[in-house]
Amino acid sequence: MKYTSFVLLTAGSRLASALTQTCTGKAVDEGGNWFCGAVNEIVYEGFLQSGSYKAVTSMTDSGECLTEEKAYGGPLSPLDEGLSIHVRGPINFKQFAVFHLASDRKRDLDPSPHVYARRHGHEHFHEQRKKKRADWIVATIDNQVVSWPKDFKNFLGPQTSTADATATEPVATQPAATEPVSSKVAEVSGAPDDQPYPSSSSSSSPPKSSGSSNTGAWERTSYYNAEQQTAENVVFLGNYGGQGSGVWDTKWGNSLSYITPNASGGSDTYNILKDVFVPSLKEFAIFSAEKCDSTCGYSRVPELAYKGFSGANKIFLFEFKMPYDGNRGFLGDMPALWALNARIPRTAQYSACNCWTSGCGEADIYEVLASGDNKCKSTFHLQNGAGSSDYFERPTNEYVKVAVIFWEKTATVSIKQLPKDVSFESLSSATVSEWLDTLSASKTGITTSLFQVAP
């Protein structure tokens, strides 16, 4: 793993939710957000949580938001629940794919009965939060920074914390097409380490897939290509309820709706997003084309209720660029790419009636926090979240390919810039293993940042 002039931040530092965090370069406070240095990959380790969140059960006409406690637990929970993908301009969104581990897919065709949670209004100046820390040993062995808990025998036991996401000030210490088709993916045997989803093309309703690209261990289960106008097991929605589809009222505002082909507003029918520039303030969301069942929980508009992308072993691939558009108004020129527990938008993404505040889950992947800025942060909003002060350079002129890898065995989420020649058609086990092996990064000159989540 290559670290360039980094500072290792340990549990003794004034960090929120971090046992260890690398700071590549010098920490600088910009408008309440701390930035260290630009990297190619950020690895978040230690998402081992258990708890519960408040799942919405009803949104009444009188304005009551009724909820019930939903429990979750295990590696990556509640991020193993169905996630929806959300995109805000300015952006050119070229390609998207989802891959699942085949062995998981066979046992997890239905979403986990555990939890979900938040809106993206988007509190950009993340508040400092108290956190619980364990006694950890941090050492450098063979030029690699490693750490482990002193009480290792209890390390994998359920941990409960009420601390929320994000890092506080980094303190330098020691250097160191037709009706949406949900697909039933073919079973793949002998896949010890990897999983999949479905498919479609241009038409009038979200296409479900009749099959998937099967490379053995990992299977592609969803795919979108802007140039080809291909959409396999994906549905494009937006918060434009009342414009052609969905609903609007004075109590809860806009629900989800189908969107126009250029993502400019609501539509009465399913459309595939065109190969267009999406400007500032315009947003769209991506769900699977599989209609919800009882496992989704409450949805404000049942006819627009689609499942998210679930599973503890999954990979999202993106290709996009975020050019400047000069808008300096509210949220102007502040592009973002993030994932939400799909329960949030199915109820009310931009009102108080959702599970976000109780910790059902949000993962900010590439988010610009200041108008016209060139730095993209990543943050996990959970009951015990995380947020690296290292960042990705905003891809303003050229398209970038990015992988977000959820890996159950190590309770890890990795956000990784990919080579330009990476194909979204298939993924081999060898490729994914290489991506997961952060120690191989030094061979390719990749600068990797590590954030270890405090239990």
Side-chain angles (χ1 to χ4, degrees):
M1 184 182 314
K2 177 183 176 185
Y3 296 101
T4 305
S5 45
F6 74 94
V7 173
L8 179 65
L9 305 174
T10 66
S13 304
R14 287 195 297 121
L15 284 181
S17 298
L19 291 170
T20 301
Q21 178 186 175
T22 51
C23 180
T24 305
K26 181 180 179 181
V28 178
D29 181 1
E30 297 183 11
N33 295 295
W34 285 91
F35 295 91
C36 286
V39 296
N40 308 106
E41 177 183 40
I42 301 177
V43 179
Y44 289 90
E45 293 183 348
F47 286 111
L48 292 162
Q49 305 186 17
S50 62
S52 65
Y53 61 83
K54 296 184 181 300
V56 175
T57 58
S58 181
M59 302 169 70
T60 71
D61 293 339
S62 62
E64 289 183 284
C65 179
L66 306 180
T67 64
E68 66 180 8
E69 291 294 324
K70 299 291 289 185
Y72 61 83
L76 296 178
S77 64
L79 297 174
D80 57 344
E81 298 181 7
L83 301 180
S84 51
I85 301 299
H86 297 259
V87 183
R88 181 175 67 226
I91 195 166
N92 291 90
F93 195 76
K94 188 174 184 179
Q95 216 175 168
F96 168 70
V98 184
F99 288 80
H100 280 80
L101 194 59
S103 55
D104 286 358
R105 187 63 178 163
K106 289 190 291 184
R107 76 170 190 256
D108 287 338
L109 282 176
D110 291 322
S112 152
H114 303 317
V115 190
Y116 304 76
R118 156 188 180 186
R119 76 181 179 193
H120 205 271
H122 203 143
E123 292 96 321
H124 293 297
F125 301 150
H126 300 306
E127 57 193 284
Q128 301 182 8
R129 293 170 171 93
K130 296 179 181 178
K131 29 216 97 257
K132 191 169 112 176
R133 298 184 178 90
D135 290 328
W136 277 62
I137 298 170
V138 180
T140 301
I141 301 175
D142 295 333
N143 295 319
Q144 301 298 331
V145 179
V146 296
S147 60
W148 59 92
K150 291 179 180 177
D151 186 16
F152 187 79
K153 66 181 180 179
N154 294 323
F155 176 52
L156 294 179
Q159 304 287 340
T160 301
S161 172
T162 57
D164 202 298
T166 75
T168 60
E169 171 183 354
V171 180
T173 56
Q174 301 296 328
T178 50
E179 162 89 6
V181 186
S182 65
S183 81
K184 302 300 181 189
V185 180
E187 294 189 358
V188 178
S189 59
D193 290 318
D194 312 74
Q195 175 178 343
Y197 276 84
S199 129
S200 136
S201 71
S202 213
S203 97
S204 66
S205 290
K208 298 179 183 178
S209 157
S210 56
S212 61
S213 298
N214 182 352
T215 62
W218 288 88
E219 292 178 320
R220 193 180 76 185
T221 56
S222 295
Y223 180 62
Y224 162 72
N225 186 299
E227 293 178 348
Q228 299 173 5
Q229 283 294 277
T230 298
E232 303 173 357
N233 192 40
V234 296
V235 179
F236 296 96
L237 302 175
N239 291 296
Y240 298 104
Q243 298 181 21
S245 57
V247 297
W248 176 90
D249 59 45
T250 57
K251 297 294 184 183
W252 305 115
N254 301 94
S255 73
L256 287 172
S257 71
Y258 292 123
I259 60 171
T260 59
N262 62 359
S264 62
S267 172
D268 62 354
T269 187
Y270 166 82
N271 292 292
I272 296 176
L273 179 68
K274 286 186 175 180
D275 187 8
V276 296
F277 171 71
V278 178
S280 287
L281 306 181
K282 294 299 181 181
E283 297 182 1
F284 63 89
I286 306 175
F287 291 74
S288 80
E290 186 175 358
K291 278 296 191 73
C292 270
D293 52 28
S294 60
T295 62
C296 289
Y298 174 82
S299 296
R300 185 179 174 195
V301 183
E303 60 268 26
L304 291 173
Y306 292 92
K307 291 184 177 183
F309 305 101
S310 63
N313 293 302
K314 58 195 171 194
I315 299 174
F316 296 126
L317 298 184
F318 303 94
E319 185 176 10
F320 61 93
K321 63 180 178 179
M322 296 172 163
Y324 300 115
D325 73 354
N327 188 318
R328 292 298 179 267
F330 175 69
L331 292 182
D333 209 356
M334 294 171 61
L337 172 64
W338 73 102
L340 291 175
N341 186 311
R343 290 190 181 225
I344 298 170
R346 285 196 299 257
T347 55
Q349 183 176 345
Y350 289 114
S351 87
C353 192
N354 60 52
C355 60
W356 185 84
T357 55
S358 58
C360 60
E362 172 180 348
D364 297 331
I365 300 165
Y366 262 61
E367 180 183 19
V368 173
L369 299 179
S371 184
D373 200 6
N374 65 348
K375 299 182 286 296
C376 297
K377 290 278 292 247
S378 60
T379 306
F380 289 81
H381 301 274
L382 300 162
Q383 288 189 16
N384 187 26
S388 174
S389 291
D390 282 330
Y391 60 88
F392 300 103
E393 293 182 349
R394 175 176 172 177
T396 55
N397 297 316
E398 296 185 357
Y399 284 95
V400 65
K401 291 182 178 180
V402 173
V404 183
I405 307 164
F406 294 77
W407 190 236
E408 181 181 26
K409 287 186 175 180
T410 54
T412 296
V413 180
S414 299
I415 305 173
K416 182 183 185 72
Q417 292 177 346
L418 302 174
K420 293 182 179 180
D421 61 355
V422 168
S423 171
F424 285 27
E425 291 297 316
S426 61
L427 283 180
S428 68
S429 295
T431 296
V432 175
S433 295
E434 183 179 349
W435 289 354
L436 290 168
D437 181 8
T438 55
L439 298 182
S440 69
S442 58
K443 301 176 183 178
T444 56
I446 293 174
T447 302
T448 298
S449 181
L450 173 66
F451 190 108
Q452 291 179 319
V453 182

